[in-house]
Amino acid sequence: MYKGIKKFALLVVIPFILCGCWDEVLVEKIAFLTILGVESAPQGNLNVTYAMPVVDPDVTNSRGELIDTQTNLLRMSTETLNRRSGKKIMAGKIQLMLYSKEFAGEGRIADTNSIFERDPSNAVLAWVVIVDGSPRSLMYQTEDNLKDKPRPSTYMNALLERSVSTGNINETRVFNYDLISMAPGIDNTAPMIKITDKSLEVTGSALFSGEKMVGNINAQDGGLLTAMMKTLKHKKYTYNASIPSSAKETYSEKQNSAIQLSQNSKKINISIKNNKPVVDIYLDLSGYADEYKWDHLNDEQEIKKLNDHVQEQLRQDCQKLIGYIQNIQSDPIGIGDMVRAKHNSYFKKVNWHTVYKQAKINIHVKFKLVDYGDIQ
């Protein structure tokens, strides 16, 4: 009898347990923030622009809406947004944090990002992106001029991921930007974008020294920096190499070659000599000629000639890039972090960015052309 009662009780209780979630959330009653643009305003305040996609099926313009506000704290701008919106604001879906170049140059990004560290409902996986111009203007132009493109947040996210896959930029999210900001021997990079008449373009990378943006490099140099920072392995980076040409060859396709590069290894040796760091960076690269003038690349002498030329050009371009980032006192490779680990007593008694500018950094490149196509 008791067994029968237990079975009956289970049959009554189980349907209530398995009925699903009780905290029903209607998507139509929620405003999802997807892009947040921040730039400087008078008296040290912030101009903040929010992008929210429209998910209501009864609304014909489903791309989204933009809301602007001026505030002294990012958290207070969301309070203003709550008073303007008839829906519950959800910040957990933010995909992109857009900062103006001027704002980044003032060194204000890390402090602005603190809301992501303190409030777990915010998205720490959002991209940190520097806009060449005004984030507000870019967001409005994207909504108005790029209506043939996907939703702006989706479109920008796809552009950035594509640029990472080709080695032209490094992936920078809120969480790793904040982590690097607190590390004393390494500096941040962040992708830079700008808008043209009918498209968005990832132009390269912003470079930081401490909290401030101090310079930028183009996408071509971004691939070389990626090789020195970590690895190009599994990425399709195309290096535009100039090639030896005769005086009569005046067309660009006879003076340049597209080389698909991959990285085999990277090694960095560091020593302290005469109270200054001496750094040797060894890059082992290989690649194939994706585009090359009509020539005899099946001939061993021609292959060696091209191989040696590209190897030297890679070394010179990397050395030139190192000179630039040293001059602006930006250390995205994390050489200071390595000095701190291996020569901690030295690191503690110097101002790293000052010493870094004076450091002797030598680039050593080994390159091998492994393929040149099937045309002979």
Side-chain angles (χ1 to χ4, degrees), residues 4 15 17 88 172 175 184 221 232 255 263 265 308 329 346:
I17 297 175
K88 182 180 179 181
T172 305
F175 77 92
D221 285 341
L232 282 173
Q255 297 175 336
Q263 188 166 13
S265 66
D308 293 346
Q329 299 185 21
Y346 171 80

Side-chain angles (χ1 to χ4, degrees), residues 41 43-48 69-77 108 112:
Q43 299 179 342
N45 289 329
L46 309 173
N47 274 330
V48 185
T69 184
Q70 187 176 125
T71 181
N72 60 348
L73 290 172
L74 193 60
R75 183 67 181 87
M76 299 312 297
S77 70
R108 302 173 66 185
T112 306

Side-chain angles (χ1 to χ4, degrees), residues 145-265:
N145 300 345
L146 306 182
K147 295 181 179 179
D148 58 329
K149 299 290 191 294
R151 182 174 290 158
S153 59
T154 304
Y155 179 41
M156 290 187 206
N157 193 67
L159 279 178
L160 293 167
E161 288 183 350
R162 175 61 181 164
S163 293
V164 169
S165 71
T166 55
N168 294 122
I169 63 170
N170 287 285
E171 187 172 3
T172 305
R173 309 279 183 166
V174 168
F175 77 92
N176 58 353
Y177 182 93
D178 290 352
L179 285 173
I180 290 176
S181 294
M182 294 183 284
I186 186 172
D187 291 312
N188 270 301
T189 68
M192 287 193 71
I193 63 173
K194 72 174 182 179
I195 190 167
T196 60
D197 290 339
K198 293 296 180 182
S199 67
L200 281 169
E201 180 185 351
V202 180
T203 59
S205 299
L207 303 177
F208 290 77
S209 180
E211 295 183 353
K212 294 184 178 182
M213 176 184 167
V214 291
N216 61 278
I217 56 175
N218 60 30
Q220 174 81 0
D221 285 341
L224 300 178
L225 181 60
T226 298
M228 290 186 282
M229 287 176 66
K230 40 186 178 180
T231 178
L232 282 173
K233 200 170 185 179
H234 307 305
K235 296 183 179 181
K236 296 181 178 180
Y237 170 64
T238 304
Y239 177 65
N240 189 351
S242 65
I243 55 178
S245 59
S246 63
K248 63 181 181 180
E249 293 176 345
T250 58
Y251 298 110
S252 61
E253 65 269 18
K254 290 184 178 292
Q255 297 175 336
N256 296 82
S257 177
I259 308 293
Q260 288 276 1
L261 285 182
S262 61
Q263 188 166 13
N264 304 316
S265 66

Side-chain angles (χ1 to χ4, degrees), residues 257-260 286-292 297 303 306-307 367-375:
S257 177
I259 308 293
Q260 288 276 1
S286 57
Y288 66 89
D290 195 31
E291 185 174 356
Y292 189 71
L297 270 186
I303 294 174
L306 177 62
N307 197 97
F367 172 76
K368 183 178 181 181
L369 186 68
V370 296
D371 198 2
Y372 46 83
D374 298 325
I375 299 177

